[in-house]
Amino acid sequence: MVASPRRVGLELEFPVVGTATGKGLDRDGAQRLWRSLAAYDTSWSLVEETVVGGVSGVRRRRAGFDELLNTDTGVCTVELSLAPQETVGQAVEAAGDVLRMLQGLLDVMGYTILCAGVQPRTWVDPARKTRKDWYVLLTRRWHFHHWFVPIASHQAAVDVTPDEAVRAVNVLSGFAGVFTALTACSPIARGAVQPWKEMRNWVWYERSMRVPAPEAAYTSNGIPEEPFSDMGAYIEHFWDSRIYFLTHLKSGGCEVLGGKSFKDFLLSRDSVPARQIDGTLVQVAPDRDMLDRIHQYGWPAAKLHYAFDSRTDLDGVRAALTRGTIGDYVEEHAVNCYVENRTCGVAPQGEEGVAAALTLGIVERLDDAEALLKELPWQEWRRWWLRASTHGLSAEGERSIAMVRRVLELAASGLRARGRGEEAFLAPLFTRLERRETPADRMIAAFRAGGVPGLLSDFGRSV
């Protein structure tokens, strides 16, 4: 069983925008930011990239967890990955402390943290792509990686047991359209109102239409074609990916060559060709620790994170793969399991807890959430994600609005049962539903009234 209460973690991304220019932070500015932060608060140490050079962020150890502040794909997007907390309130408070510090440093530099899902002027600028060692590996398998330079989102993670894990993935994936309808926040890009209220999803969707199908299957940030029947189906799908890297905390490591999936690699009895970050060709063989060190093999709407217990061995994994019982093996040996919801947009200041509250509340009511999910065909849930990405709440009829309300009420019920007052963090979502108004609608109004300066005034963070 999951320890009570479940922990919840936040991974918050925000565009950083020049207050005078409306343009995103550049590489030199990002270097100044992280060096200033490490000097201001010495509990944080610089993260230095050994292959590509430079500093990509800061790190500190907190409560047994490596907290990280860095830039995402674009140096114009700051990302906070903080230690999980026992309540949504504690997670929001910890994030607030960091955001106040960041905004204070950025004020001096002439920048603001924008509570939106996309840069208002800066677009897919390769010159603003973050230089990270592991990105050297990633771009060998990813097309159009620089497309993600201007975008941001709010992600939430919640503890689950191995037997709950895939059920939670299915529910959070299925409800992705509901989450998007409630949190759409990226309608202003390239200095104009865009045709999608969640242009962040346009970037993911349009890119997936342009890359090879085997790549798109793992890099759409969308809803899978069908729900996963069980843990075995989930593992078989993601271990069939060719987009994975053998790293340690996104440092060092290599890519396996020859088109081998992770499953193929694990089943290899002999060493296979691989290429390190610096391009050196080497031979690598599977070992037990690689089960925990594998970095990425997919970016869907919701996904699992896990490690393996001390009883796990490579022969046992291979036998389970060969017999078709890998799902049972993982459920028996997986530890530190949590599910990540990757669908929610960036929240306005003061509403940073909505993604965490929504995710946690639904997982707490998993049986009821599954029943609700089954009331509509899976393909209808998938269409909803696309519709919500374009229109937010404005295209929904009474039937859909009623379904959104039921999802919110379900989440509120799950949070009330925890007895920690966390249901209060859902209040902004109930208000948005009542008004049929997303943050994107408010951003469009601010932009039409005052251009990019008006947007920054209304949605830039204050200290």
Side-chain angles (χ1 to χ4, degrees):
M1 295 292 292
V2 168
S4 183
R6 298 176 195 270
R7 296 175 306 166
V8 58
L10 294 178
E11 186 173 315
L12 306 181
E13 302 164 357
F14 296 91
V16 177
V17 184
T19 52
T21 66
K23 295 181 179 179
L25 188 69
D26 59 20
R27 285 174 176 163
D28 288 342
Q31 294 290 300
R32 293 200 309 274
L33 172 62
W34 301 129
R35 294 184 187 280
S36 296
L37 193 153
Y40 177 82
D41 183 345
T42 56
S43 70
W44 297 94
S45 59
L46 294 174
V47 177
E48 301 191 45
E49 303 295 328
T50 59
V51 175
V52 298
V55 172
S56 61
V58 293
R59 174 185 287 126
R60 72 179 176 188
R61 191 74 174 168
R62 181 64 59 92
F65 184 87
D66 275 326
E67 293 192 317
L68 187 64
L69 311 179
N70 64 1
T71 54
D72 198 40
T73 304
V75 294
C76 49
T77 304
V78 293
E79 180 177 30
L80 290 65
S81 181
L82 304 178
Q85 302 289 339
E86 289 193 355
T87 69
V88 175
Q90 291 170 355
V92 170
E93 182 179 4
D97 290 342
V98 171
L99 286 167
R100 280 187 291 274
M101 176 178 61
L102 278 171
Q103 186 57 65
L105 295 169
L106 287 166
D107 274 347
V108 177
M109 296 171 56
Y111 287 86
T112 188
I113 295 172
L114 181 64
C115 299
V118 69
Q119 286 280 340
R121 291 197 190 280
T122 298
W123 192 231
V124 290
D125 179 7
R128 281 182 167 86
K129 186 177 166 185
T130 298
R131 289 172 173 154
K132 296 181 183 178
D133 289 350
W134 87 271
Y135 279 178
V136 177
L137 290 176
L138 183 67
T139 52
R140 294 173 186 166
R141 301 293 172 96
W142 268 62
H143 293 84
F144 308 122
H145 187 229
H146 65 287
W147 277 34
F148 299 98
V149 162
I151 65 174
S153 67
H154 280 184
Q155 297 151 30
V158 173
D159 286 335
V160 291
T161 59
D163 60 311
E164 293 174 324
V166 172
R167 297 170 61 206
V169 165
N170 287 337
V171 165
L172 295 174
S173 297
F175 290 159
V178 173
F179 303 155
T180 300
L182 288 166
T183 65
C185 66
S186 52
I188 310 301
R190 292 179 279 189
V193 176
Q194 297 298 311
W196 288 37
K197 289 184 178 177
E198 189 67 324
M199 278 299 287
R200 173 178 65 94
N201 285 351
W202 179 91
V203 171
W204 284 100
Y205 180 79
E206 185 67 18
R207 178 192 168 279
S208 71
M209 297 295 103
R210 301 190 184 199
V211 302
E215 180 180 341
Y218 294 96
T219 61
S220 70
N221 208 48
I223 306 173
E225 292 186 3
E226 299 290 343
F228 295 103
S229 58
D230 53 29
M231 179 67 86
Y234 181 92
I235 295 296
E236 288 282 356
H237 171 72
F238 282 101
W239 284 14
D240 196 41
S241 171
R242 272 71 175 165
I243 306 175
Y244 66 94
F245 311 100
L246 305 175
T247 72
H248 180 63
L249 297 176
K250 299 185 182 181
S251 65
C254 62
E255 58 172 329
V256 173
L257 302 178
K260 288 184 177 293
S261 68
F262 188 58
K263 177 181 176 179
D264 294 335
F265 173 67
L266 289 177
L267 292 174
S268 300
R269 294 289 175 175
D270 299 319
S271 61
V272 299
R275 182 167 50 187
Q276 295 177 330
I277 290 176
D278 64 4
T280 302
L281 296 178
V282 295
Q283 293 288 122
V284 297
D287 64 46
R288 157 65 184 83
D289 289 345
M290 289 176 181
L291 295 170
D292 296 330
R293 293 205 313 268
I294 179 177
H295 179 61
Q296 294 293 1
Y297 36 71
W299 286 258
K303 70 177 182 180
L304 300 180
H305 296 257
Y306 52 86
F308 287 91
D309 64 20
S310 60
R311 297 178 296 119
T312 302
D313 64 72
L314 195 55
D315 286 340
V317 170
R318 286 168 167 162
L321 284 170
T322 302
R323 291 195 301 261
T325 58
I326 189 61
D328 293 337
Y329 189 93
V330 171
E331 288 193 358
E332 179 182 351
H333 293 278
V335 294
N336 302 327
C337 294
Y338 62 93
V339 62
E340 178 189 358
N341 180 5
R342 299 174 42 79
T343 310
C344 294
V346 174
Q349 186 166 356
E351 301 180 9
E352 295 86 358
V354 296
L358 199 52
T359 305
L360 179 60
I362 287 170
V363 172
E364 289 285 4
R365 286 290 181 263
L366 205 49
D367 290 344
D368 294 333
E370 284 183 315
L372 190 59
L373 188 68
K374 291 176 182 177
E375 291 189 18
L376 296 179
W378 186 257
Q379 294 307 313
E380 188 166 339
W381 291 110
R382 296 186 79 215
R383 287 191 293 272
W384 196 337
W385 178 84
L386 197 58
R387 187 172 69 245
S389 298
T390 307
H391 302 290
L393 287 166
S394 63
E396 303 308 322
E398 290 304 321
R399 176 170 171 264
S400 296
I401 292 296
M403 180 61 79
V404 175
R405 185 173 292 108
R406 291 173 68 189
V407 171
L408 283 178
E409 289 171 346
L410 185 66
S413 172
L415 294 174
R416 280 194 296 271
R418 286 165 55 87
R420 309 298 289 268
E422 295 159 304
E423 62 275 13
F425 291 95
L426 293 175
L429 300 183
F430 280 103
T431 299
R432 295 176 198 177
L433 181 62
E434 184 67 26
R435 296 175 178 173
R436 308 282 180 92
E437 180 185 73
T438 66
D441 296 307
R442 293 165 49 205
M443 290 174 182
I444 291 170
F447 178 78
R448 286 177 172 161
V452 171
L455 179 71
L456 298 182
S457 176
D458 285 7
F459 289 90
R461 292 189 67 89
S462 57
V463 178

